[in-house]
Amino acid sequence: KDRIPIPTTKKHPPYPTKDRTMMLTKLCALTIGLLSSSTLAFAPSTPQRINKTKQNMSATPMAVPIEPSKRDAEYGRNIAKYLVDLHDAKATFDFCGGMMFQLVLTDKLRSYLENVARESDADEQPVVFDAAKSRMFNIPEYSKNGLVDNVRLFHGREVRKVPNAAGGMNFVLQLSLASSDGKNDPTTNDPHGWTTQEVEGYDGWGHDVGRVWRTGERLEQEGVVDFRKTFGQDSFTLCHRFYLHLDGRNRLWLSAEDGCEGTPSEGKSFLGDLSNMFGL
């Protein structure tokens, strides 16, 4: 599930995930060794070690309950409102055991969910599958294509190299609004959503190393509005279909079709601190 591509200007930026994992493992060991040394110690909170420009994309995020019982007490079945509030709070999702992605809804999707949130029992409320549906291919009527319905399945992108993304790792998880036919045309529906090329070429059930990663420039050429202005000049992305499910502890998971998934977090990660300190 771990997939962190090397930032590059090439059309296909991912690199072997084992290298990144090994690097972070060594950094963890190095940090533990330094902290236990009698001659050298450092604290992640030391001002000189923190790049404050990476902390988050907004000023003061609001508090949204993450613990399942508190979440259910406040939101019940109103998942649309929960997603909107997570977006407004600049909440992060912990993917793959420490990769912090800030949740970002496109303006179109946020507006759509805000309207749905007015009725907690509306048919358009996002579906949260039970713990038995831990992979997308477990859900009823699953098929391999690029279509979504904005209820059970959503169009999304993982976006890398986003300056100031919450979580300190420069990662964003963007969800967008599809048109009624399950596709999207940025010129007529969601200007920040999937392009026709993304829909037609989608193969998110496969390993991401063999998939097409898009630069901001390429997305804008395909019709997306102001992608680099929104996420940064060096940002690049990979599209995924996403769905929501619970686990055995009633935690909420946002899962991509390839099996990589994240759960709402407190927004801090030890790996994020290491990435900031060592410039990864």
Side-chain angles (χ1 to χ4, degrees), residues 129-140 243 245-248:
F129 290 92
D130 60 43
K133 311 298 190 300
S134 59
R135 290 293 303 272
M136 189 178 291
F137 56 70
N138 297 137
I139 70 174
Y243 79 113
H245 74 86
L246 301 175
D247 65 11

Side-chain angles (χ1 to χ4, degrees), residues 98-118:
M99 297 169 60
M100 295 301 180
F101 282 78
Q102 177 183 337
L103 178 67
V104 174
L105 309 179
T106 64
D107 292 343
K108 280 275 190 178
L109 180 60
R110 188 196 177 285
S111 178
Y112 169 81
L113 291 176
E114 190 172 41
N115 287 330
V116 172
R118 294 171 182 168

